[in-house]
Amino acid sequence: MQSPQDWPPVPDALRPSPFPHPVLHALHGLARVLLFPAYWALDQLLGCWAPMARPSCLKWLSAAARAGAAFLLLVLIGLPLALPGLLLWQLLQTWRRPFCYQPPPQYWAPPEPWRPPAEPARCFSFLSANLCLLPDGLARFSNLQHTQRRAEAVGASLLAGLQSSHYGTMGCSPPGPGAPCGVLTATMPAGLDFVCLQEVFDLRAARRLVSRLAPSLGPVLYDVGTFGLQPGPHLKLLGSGLLLASRYPLLRAAFRSFPHARREDALASKGLLSAQAQVGILNGHRIVGFLHCTHLHAPSEDGSLRCKQLTLLLDWAEQFEAESRHSDEAVAFSVLLGDLNFDNCSLDNAQEQEHKLFSRFQDPCRLGTRRDQPWALGTILNTSRLHHSVACSPEMLRRALEQEEGRHRYLAGPPHGGRRTKPWRGRRLDYITYRRVPGSPLSPEVEQVTFSTALAGLTDHLAVGLRLRVSIPWESRHAGDSCEAGWKDRQGGKT
C-alpha cells in the first residue's frame, strides 16, 4: 500500500481501458470500426442539410452531390456493416466503465506537492470551455465545421496556457480585501492546472486533444458517458462531451448520467464527471481537491429540467466527496464548472437563478439573482457572425467586446428575442464555482476570473478561467500546534 507521501501517487482506482479485460476492449474497437462507415455517411448527409451562410447555385450543387454519394455509401456499405456492429457495441456497454483514462507518459513530472505551512499558500488555475467539437455535420448547424482541424488548433491554444507556469508562493499575489477582479484577455490564462472541456462529442477530435494534452499537462479523462440502451428506455448514441485534464495526479473518478433529456439532448449522455486530485501533503497526510464537471440540458425553454439536473448533481457531488475522502485528508477546494446553459440576466431563466446551487457553491461573477459583477461578461457568441474577421481574431474580438457596440454585435442575445439589459454584457452560460469544504483547515479565495477570446474562430463560446488562492487561514497558522490537534479531533483523530 502506498504512503500518502509518495509523489506522484499511483491512481489504483483508474486503469487506462474502460473495459476489465483486453478482449472486451478489442471487441469494442471492432464494433466501432464496423459502425464508422455508417457514422461517416450520416454525418455527411446531416452536413448537407445544415443552413449555408452564403448559399449559391454552385454550393447547392456541391451539397447535392455530397448528399448523393453519402446516401449510396450508407445503403451499399454502411448499413450492412452497421447492423452487426451496433449489436456488438450495445452488448459491450454492459462491461464498459463510463470514461477512458489516459495516464501521463513515463517522463511526466507533476508540480512539486504543496506543503503548508512551509509554503503558506498556493494558487490553482482552472479553465472551462465549450468547444462544439460535434461530428462535422452537426457542428455545421452552429455555423462551425472542420471539427478535426479545430481540435488541433484548440489543443495548440491550450498548450500555450501551460507555459509560464508558476507554482508556490511566487505564483500567488498577497490576499487583498474587496471583490475579485475580472479580466478580458486574448490569450489563455497562464499556468493552467485543471481544464474542463464540454461538447467534445467527436471521438477522433477527443483523441487529438488527448494526444496534445497528456504529454504536456498530465492525466486526462475523456470519452465520458453511458452509451447504448439505457433505462427509460433511452438510446444514447453520443457521450457527455466532457473531457477533464489535470496537471496534478488524479486519484479517483466517477460519472453519473442525468436520467431525463429532451429534443436535441435526447441522444447525448450528459451528466456529472467528478474527480479527486492530490495537490499536496500536510503533516504527512494528503491534500486533495475535488472537481465536478458538467454540461446541462440545452433547450432554453426547459428550465424545470435543468433545475432537476442541478439538484441531482449537488447530491452526486456530495456523495462522491464523502466516498472518496479519508478522514485524515485536507481538502483544498471543491470546484463545480461547465456549461450550465442558463444565465443570470434573463427572466426566462428565473427558476435556475434561484436554485440552491448558489447557496452551496460560490459564483465569483454573481452578486445576486439577476445581478452580476460589473466586469462579468457573456460567454456565448452570436453564431451568425462566427466567420466575420473580427470574430475569428482573438485580439480583435477582445477589443470589440470591451465596447457596448461590440458586445451587441458579437455576443448572443437573450433567448426568444427577449429584451436586452442595459448595459448589455451578454449571456453568461459558462460557470466556474467553488466552495470551502467544512472541516478542512484550508481556505480558497478568488484571485482572478478570466474571460478569454483565445479560441476565437474555433468555437461559439468564450473560455472562462478561475484562479484560486488556497491557504491556511491566518488565525489558524498562528494558533500553533493546537490548530493541527483541533483538526485531527474534528476528523476523528485518525493518523
Side-chain angles (χ1 to χ4, degrees):
M1 184 176 179
Q2 59 182 328
S3 164
Q5 300 201 53
D6 291 342
W7 191 261
V10 178
D12 297 329
L14 295 174
R15 62 178 185 273
S17 173
F19 291 96
H21 196 279
V23 172
L24 296 175
H25 187 92
L27 288 173
H28 189 253
L30 173 62
R32 279 182 157 161
V33 168
L34 293 174
L35 287 168
F36 185 78
Y39 165 85
W40 185 89
L42 285 171
D43 188 32
Q44 297 301 307
L45 282 173
L46 281 171
C48 295
W49 292 337
M52 297 181 183
R54 296 175 182 173
S56 66
C57 182
L58 186 60
K59 286 187 176 181
W60 278 114
L61 288 173
S62 175
R66 289 202 317 271
F71 182 76
L72 285 174
L73 177 64
L74 180 65
V75 172
L76 297 178
I77 300 176
L79 290 179
L81 293 176
L83 291 176
L86 185 62
L87 291 173
L88 179 59
W89 177 80
Q90 170 61 48
L91 178 64
L92 291 168
Q93 302 312 310
T94 306
W95 296 280
R96 185 184 183 275
R97 181 189 62 191
F99 57 85
C100 293
Y101 171 71
Q102 177 61 52
Q106 292 292 327
Y107 57 81
W108 176 65
E112 286 298 312
W114 178 34
R115 297 180 185 271
E119 183 185 336
R122 180 167 288 196
C123 285
F124 300 94
S125 181
F126 305 83
L127 183 88
S128 177
N130 182 319
L131 301 183
C132 200
L133 290 176
L134 294 150
D136 205 57
L138 291 175
R140 288 172 185 264
F141 284 87
S142 295
N143 202 16
L144 292 163
Q145 53 185 320
H146 306 307
T147 294
Q148 307 309 317
R149 289 188 221 166
R150 288 191 294 116
E152 287 284 354
V154 168
S157 182
L158 289 171
L159 290 184
L162 304 179
Q163 299 171 359
S164 304
S165 300
H166 299 292
Y167 295 94
T169 53
M170 65 179 177
C172 285
S173 59
C181 64
V183 174
L184 175 61
T185 176
T187 60
M188 282 291 176
L192 293 175
D193 295 307
F194 303 99
V195 176
C196 173
L197 305 176
Q198 302 93 50
E199 290 200 6
V200 188
F201 286 113
D202 187 273
L203 184 57
R204 291 179 297 160
R207 286 171 173 160
R208 288 173 187 268
L209 285 172
V210 171
S211 67
R212 286 271 196 159
L213 294 177
S216 302
L217 188 65
V220 182
L221 302 174
Y222 70 104
D223 196 15
V224 180
T226 51
F227 295 88
L229 199 60
Q230 301 297 320
H234 304 286
L235 181 61
K236 300 297 182 181
L237 298 178
L238 295 173
S240 67
L242 298 174
L243 183 151
L244 174 65
S246 171
R247 192 166 175 83
Y248 287 86
L250 296 179
L251 303 176
R252 189 171 181 268
F255 175 77
R256 302 283 294 271
S257 179
F258 295 133
H260 303 293
R262 292 180 61 242
R263 297 179 58 186
E264 61 260 39
D265 274 5
L267 296 177
S269 176
K270 289 185 175 180
L272 180 72
L273 173 64
S274 297
Q276 181 191 40
Q278 183 176 354
V279 298
I281 300 167
L282 175 61
N283 295 303
H285 303 292
R286 284 174 173 168
I287 301 175
V288 298
F290 290 103
L291 299 114
H292 305 286
C293 311
T294 193
H295 186 189
L296 297 190
H297 190 69
S300 58
E301 64 272 18
D302 290 335
S304 59
L305 184 51
R306 273 188 295 276
C307 284
K308 291 178 182 178
Q309 293 179 342
L310 286 171
T311 301
L312 280 173
L313 67 83
L314 286 178
D315 292 341
W316 292 342
E318 293 279 2
Q319 181 180 342
F320 178 81
E321 292 183 13
E323 292 174 351
S324 304
R325 183 183 177 190
H326 295 281
S327 59
D328 56 359
E329 290 177 343
V331 180
F333 53 78
S334 176
V335 170
L336 171 65
L337 69 171
D339 181 350
L340 302 189
N341 266 316
F342 67 87
D343 60 44
N344 194 35
C345 65
S346 303
L347 287 172
D348 289 11
N349 296 144
Q351 292 183 76
E352 301 97 306
Q353 293 159 2
E354 299 281 358
H355 196 272
K356 63 182 178 181
L357 164 75
F358 299 106
S359 64
R360 303 273 190 91
F361 286 83
Q362 297 182 55
D363 176 4
C365 299
R366 176 184 166 108
L367 294 173
T369 303
R370 286 188 289 282
R371 290 192 304 118
D372 272 357
Q373 296 278 5
W375 43 258
L377 193 63
T379 58
I380 177 74
L381 298 173
N382 183 341
T383 55
S384 66
R385 301 187 185 276
L386 290 180
H387 297 292
H388 287 208
S389 58
V390 172
C392 292
S393 165
E395 181 56 33
M396 292 172 69
L397 182 60
R398 181 196 67 80
R399 290 200 299 266
L401 296 182
E402 288 178 340
Q403 309 297 324
E404 176 86 3
E405 181 182 352
R407 293 192 292 271
H408 276 272
R409 186 173 179 82
Y410 295 106
L411 294 181
H416 311 301
R419 184 178 175 183
R420 295 176 188 248
T421 57
K422 293 184 179 181
W424 178 243
R425 305 293 300 178
R427 301 189 65 213
R428 185 171 59 88
L429 305 185
D430 301 270
Y431 294 73
I432 305 183
T433 64
Y434 73 99
R435 66 176 176 180
R436 178 181 180 179
V437 174
S440 174
L442 305 175
S443 178
E445 296 177 347
V446 175
E447 263 210 349
Q448 189 176 81
V449 178
T450 304
F451 298 90
S452 172
T453 61
L455 302 179
L458 302 175
T459 182
D460 56 356
H461 285 244
L462 299 185
V464 179
L466 175 68
R467 190 171 174 83
L468 281 183
R469 182 183 192 275
V470 185
S471 62
I472 299 177
W474 181 261
E475 60 272 14
S476 299
R477 292 206 303 269
H478 289 270
D481 294 337
S482 62
C483 171
E484 173 64 15
W487 173 52
K488 288 184 177 179
D489 288 343
R490 289 196 302 274
Q491 302 304 321
K494 290 188 178 183
T495 58

